Amino acid sequence: MKRYRNEVSPERVAQLEDKCVEIRKKLLNFIYRIGMGHLGGELSIVEMAVALYYEYMEYDPKDPKWEGRDRLVLSKGHCSETLFTIFSDLGMYSLDYMVERFETLDTAIFGMHSNRKYVPAIEVSAGSLGHGLPVALGLALGAREQRKQWRTFVIVGDGEIEEGTNWEAIMAAGHHRLGNLVAIIDKNGLQMTGPTATVMSIDPLDRKFEAFGWDVIEIDGNDMYSVCRALASLPPADPWVRRKPIFIISNTTKGRGVSFMEGNVKWHGGGIAKEQLDQALADIEKTRKERV
Amino acid sequence: MAVQTTYDFDQMLSNAREAYGEELMSMADDGLDFYFTYSDNVAPSSSAGKFVQKYPDRCFNFGIAEPNQVGASAGLALSGKVVFAQVFGPFLSLRAADQIHTDIAYNDVDVRLIGTHAGVTAAGGPTHNCIADLALYRAIPNLTIAVPADAGQCVKMIRQSMDYRGPMVIRIDRGGSPNVYADNSYELRFGKAIEAVGGTDISIISAGSSVYWSMMGARILKERHGISARVIDMHTIKPMDGDMLLKCASETKNIVTVEEHSINGGLGGGVAEFLLEAGFSGKFKRIGLPDEFAVLGDPDEVYKYYGMDPEGIAAQIERLLNG
C-alpha cells in the first residue's frame, strides 16, 4: 500500500521532476490552443498535483470513480487546466479531444472551471472561491463515519483563504479532529490585483491553523523533494483515530518556470500568444535537471 | 381527497417540524441510511434532538455556520449517503445561498435542505423572517422546491425524498399549523399538485400553511358571498404543475395565489409567469407579504395585518371578483 510508506527515493523524485517539465509544457500548449486559462496559479501547483496523482494518492486513472480512491478537491477551481493536463497525461483524454470540447456550447466537457458532471475524475465542481474546504470537510466526515481508509486532500489558493467560509470549515475540522483531511495552500503570494500581503494579510498562517487545532507542515511547494517528504510523512488516514487535520503551507511561485510570468501579477488569467508560448516552452526546458 | 372539514383548529393542530424529526427516527429505525446535519438549531427536547441522541454517529452539528453546514452536507452526500440538513430558513436562503447554488444544486448531490421557520413564523422581526427564499430557490437550476401543507404531508415528503434523485429544499414553518388532510392515505407525487377543495368561480393556488388558511377563506366566500372557490395545494413549487394551472385557468377563469412569502418572486410570481405566457386573461391577484419589512407581532397577527388570514383572503377575493 502506498499509503503507509514513509521513504522518499531520490530516483522517484527525479522521475517526478521530469514529469513536471512535461506537464508544464503540455499545459502551456493546452492553454495556447484554448486561448484562456489561469497560467500563474496553474504553473505554481504543478509539483503538488504531480506528486499527488502520480505517487501519493491511491488512484486508478482507468477507474476514476473507484470507491477506495483518495479524493482531491481543487478548491481553486480556476486552475483546473493543470488537472485536465494531468488527466490527459494519465491517458484519460487526448489533448485534441480536450481542445475540441473546451467551452464549445452543447459539446463542451471541459471548462475554465472544473465540472464533475462531465469529467468523472473531477471530485467537486468548483469555480466560486471558498467552497472546497467545507465540501472536503464533509467528505472527510463521511469517510470517517463509514470507516473508510481513503483520505481527502483539498488545494486552496492563498488569495482564496480570505473567504470566510474557509475559516468555518477550518474551525470545524479542528473541532472534529479530522486526521483524514489534508488541506494544502498554494501560497504563491499573488492574487488577481496584487500581492496577497498588500491586498489582505493572511499571515501568520501557521499560527492561525495551529490555533484552530491543525498540524502544520511548511514546505517549498515547487521543490519536488520537499513536496514528497511532506506527503510521505502523512500518518495513515485511519478512521478510528481522532487526531489533528493537516495543513500544508506550500510556498510556491506564481507562473513557476516561465521567466516572464514568475511573480508577475499580470499572468493571473488569460491566454498566451505564439511567441510567448515559444519563449515559455524554452524556459520550461531550462528547468529540467541534468541527470548524471 | 379527504381534507379537513371541521376547521377545529385546536383539534387538529400538528407540527411539521416535530413530525419530520419523528420520521427521521422512524426511517433510521427501519434501517434507512442517511446523514443529518444542523447548525446549533436542534433543541435536545425536539424530535430531531431525540434522533440526534439515538443516532449520534450520523449527525453533525456545525455550530452557527450555515454556509459551512451546507457545503459540508454536499461533501457528506458525495461520500455516498443522502443528507438531511436542517437549517434555520432565513439563514439557509440568504447566508448559504452561494452553497445551495454551487455545492448542492450545481454539484447535483442528494441533499435535502430542511428550511424551517417559513414566512414570519419565527417571530422576532425581519432578521428572522423567511420571505425571500422561494424567489432565490426558484432561480437556481436543478433544485426541487417542496412546501408541505401540513405535518402529514411533510412526513410523506421526507420519506419519499429517500428515493428521489437530486437536490431538494423542503420548506416548513415553525410548527403548530393545522392539518389540511383528514387522513394521510393519499398519494403524493413531487410536481403533481392536489385539488384540496373543488370550486368553479376562482382557484386559490397555495402552498404550505397557507393552504389551510385558503380553505377557511373559501368556506367564508361560499357562506357569505356564494362564491365557489377551488383550493389547490401546490406543494411542489418547482417543478410547478403547469397542467394543474392550465386546468384551473380554463375551469375557473379567475386565479389568486396565497403564500407565506413576499409577493415578489415566490409562488405567486411563478404562477403569474406561467399563466401570462399561457395566454391567461382572467382576474389575478397575489396574496402574500407586501414589499416591505414586515411589522412586528405574533405570526397570526402579522398575517391578519396583511390580509393573509381566512377573513383577509376572503375579503381580497371578494373585492377582486365583485369590486
Side-chain angles (χ1 to χ4, degrees):
Chain A
M1 289 284 283
K2 285 194 278 187
R3 272 186 189 120
Y4 302 108
R5 183 192 40 195
N6 286 311
E7 296 303 313
V8 176
S9 96
E11 294 77 19
R12 187 64 183 134
V13 168
Q15 287 169 354
L16 293 171
E17 284 172 344
D18 289 349
K19 179 59 74 178
C20 289
V21 174
E22 208 180 317
I23 292 296
R24 281 194 167 94
K25 286 181 166 181
K26 286 185 174 180
L27 170 66
L28 283 159
N29 273 305
F30 184 34
I31 300 295
Y32 168 68
R33 290 184 61 187
I34 59 179
M36 65 172 90
H38 290 85
L39 274 169
E42 288 174 331
L43 288 166
S44 65
I45 61 168
V46 168
E47 277 78 10
M48 185 58 73
V50 163
L52 285 169
Y53 275 102
Y54 292 81
E55 186 68 11
Y56 289 100
M57 284 203 301
E58 285 287 335
Y59 193 75
D60 179 2
K62 292 191 176 59
D63 185 8
K65 289 294 184 207
W66 168 54
E67 204 283 327
R69 73 192 182 281
D70 288 333
R71 270 70 165 171
L72 171 64
V73 179
L74 182 68
S75 190
K76 44 183 274 180
H78 56 287
C79 294
S80 58
E81 281 94 355
T82 301
L83 297 198
F84 296 155
T85 303
I86 286 172
F87 297 160
S88 169
D89 188 68
L90 288 169
M92 294 186 208
Y93 310 98
S94 71
L95 184 64
D96 285 347
Y97 182 90
M98 296 199 302
V99 171
E100 284 159 16
R101 286 162 185 80
F102 196 91
E103 302 205 353
T104 44
L105 298 181
D106 57 335
T107 60
I109 289 176
F110 304 92
M112 189 195 296
H113 301 119
S114 48
N115 186 335
R116 76 183 196 94
K117 185 174 173 185
Y118 301 116
V119 184
I122 292 292
E123 296 289 350
V124 177
S125 305
S128 176
L129 297 177
H131 285 260
L133 246 166
V135 177
L137 166 78
L139 277 163
L141 281 169
R144 183 158 79 185
E145 193 278 332
Q146 293 166 48
R147 301 288 184 253
K148 299 288 171 58
Q149 296 281 339
W150 47 266
R151 200 192 300 274
T152 304
F153 294 93
V154 53
I155 298 178
V156 298
D158 52 356
E160 181 185 7
I161 206 77
E162 294 157 11
E163 289 278 9
T165 45
N166 290 307
W167 297 94
E168 293 181 6
I170 293 161
M171 188 184 297
H175 172 83
H176 287 289
R177 296 178 67 83
L178 279 176
N180 58 355
L181 177 63
V182 180
I184 299 154
I185 190 166
D186 180 48
K187 199 166 182 236
N188 62 33
L190 292 178
Q191 55 194 103
M192 195 171 78
T193 64
T196 309
T198 57
V199 174
M200 182 53 62
S201 303
I202 59 173
D203 287 323
L205 281 177
D206 52 352
R207 281 192 278 148
K208 286 176 183 172
F209 272 73
E210 281 162 5
F212 277 69
W214 291 56
D215 278 332
V216 178
I217 304 170
E218 183 156 9
I219 60 167
D220 177 346
N222 290 136
D223 176 69
M224 186 54 84
Y225 183 71
S226 297
V227 171
C228 290
R229 282 254 321 246
L231 295 176
S233 74
L234 297 175
D238 187 336
W240 284 273
V241 177
R242 290 167 67 87
R243 53 168 180 71
K244 293 180 180 182
I246 292 161
F247 180 55
I248 299 177
I249 301 175
S250 182
N251 292 299
T252 60
T253 302
K254 201 161 181 173
R256 174 71 177 196
V258 178
S259 57
F260 57 92
M261 290 187 193
E262 283 197 0
N264 187 342
V265 75
K266 282 199 309 193
W267 282 95
H268 175 78
I272 180 170
K274 182 70 173 75
E275 309 78 60
Q276 291 170 321
L277 173 70
D278 293 340
Q279 173 70 53
L281 291 173
D283 287 349
I284 295 296
E285 187 52 39
K286 280 186 230 158
T287 67
R288 189 186 296 280
K289 290 190 181 171
E290 297 246 346
R291 311 288 177 200
V292 285
Chain B
M1 191 63 56
V3 297
Q4 293 289 352
T5 51
T6 63
Y7 301 114
D8 183 346
F9 190 92
D10 293 333
Q11 283 296 310
M12 56 188 180
L13 205 60
S14 69
N15 188 323
R17 206 152 58 103
E18 280 301 295
Y20 109 82
E22 287 162 12
E23 188 61 11
L24 289 183
M25 183 82 90
S26 162
M27 288 179 353
D29 289 346
D30 290 346
L32 295 176
D33 211 0
F34 56 88
Y35 288 129
F36 177 64
T37 70
Y38 55 109
S39 42
D40 194 38
N41 58 335
V42 170
S45 60
S46 68
S47 62
K50 292 185 181 107
F51 170 73
V52 170
Q53 285 155 40
K54 185 167 177 186
Y55 294 99
D57 288 350
R58 60 169 74 186
C59 300
F60 303 98
N61 184 359
F62 290 91
I64 306 168
E66 292 81 7
N68 188 42
Q69 182 201 349
V70 175
S73 295
L76 281 164
L78 286 169
S79 81
K81 294 187 191 180
V82 170
V83 179
F84 292 90
Q86 180 179 325
V87 195
F88 197 74
F91 310 145
L92 170 63
S93 52
L94 301 178
R95 184 74 59 87
D98 192 9
Q99 283 68 33
I100 299 172
H101 172 278
T102 297
D103 302 344
I104 305 294
Y106 181 50
N107 271 286
D108 192 23
V109 291
D110 286 321
V111 173
R112 286 73 182 93
L113 298 161
I114 316 291
T116 63
H117 297 80
V120 303
T121 55
T127 59
H128 285 56
N129 290 348
C130 185
I131 65 167
D133 57 329
L134 292 178
L136 171 84
Y137 301 152
R138 283 188 55 229
I140 295 178
N142 193 37
L143 184 65
T144 298
I145 310 167
V147 185
D150 63 13
Q153 195 176 79
C154 179
V155 163
K156 280 176 177 290
M157 285 177 170
I158 295 287
R159 173 78 64 159
Q160 287 179 210
S161 77
M162 283 298 292
D163 299 320
Y164 194 82
R165 181 68 263 293
M168 179 184 289
V169 170
I170 300 175
R171 183 193 205 238
I172 61 178
D173 57 23
R174 187 183 193 170
S177 303
N179 283 328
V180 165
Y181 297 99
D183 72 74
N184 291 310
S185 58
Y186 64 95
E187 185 195 8
L188 178 86
R189 283 168 56 201
F190 289 113
K192 192 82 186 147
I194 298 169
E195 185 174 321
V197 176
T200 53
D201 296 325
I202 190 162
S203 294
I204 307 175
I205 315 290
S206 190
S209 308
S210 303
V211 175
Y212 175 77
W213 306 118
S214 299
M215 283 163 50
M216 293 183 76
R219 191 170 68 155
I220 294 169
L221 284 167
K222 174 155 275 177
E223 287 174 355
R224 293 192 205 154
H225 307 287
I227 294 170
S228 168
R230 177 183 296 187
V231 178
I232 302 297
D233 172 10
M234 189 64 76
H235 53 74
T236 310
I237 306 283
K238 201 169 90 171
M240 196 176 277
D241 187 350
D243 291 342
M244 178 64 89
L245 292 178
L246 290 175
K247 184 167 178 281
C248 291
S250 88
E251 292 175 2
T252 70
K253 304 291 186 254
N254 307 298
I255 291 180
V256 299
T257 59
V258 185
E259 62 192 306
E260 292 178 282
H261 185 271
S262 164
I263 56 166
N264 294 328
L267 171 67
V271 170
E273 290 161 16
F274 180 90
L275 289 177
L276 191 60
E277 289 188 343
F280 177 73
S281 58
K283 291 184 176 176
F284 179 81
K285 183 169 181 60
R286 296 166 296 157
I287 297 174
L289 294 161
D291 188 19
E292 66 181 40
F293 291 111
V295 295
L296 289 170
D298 182 77
D300 289 343
E301 292 172 354
V302 175
Y303 288 138
K304 188 173 180 181
Y305 179 87
Y306 289 118
M308 296 163 63
D309 65 328
E311 290 286 349
I313 292 168
Q316 293 193 67
I317 289 174
E318 198 275 329
R319 276 202 299 276
L320 179 73
L321 294 183
N322 299 330

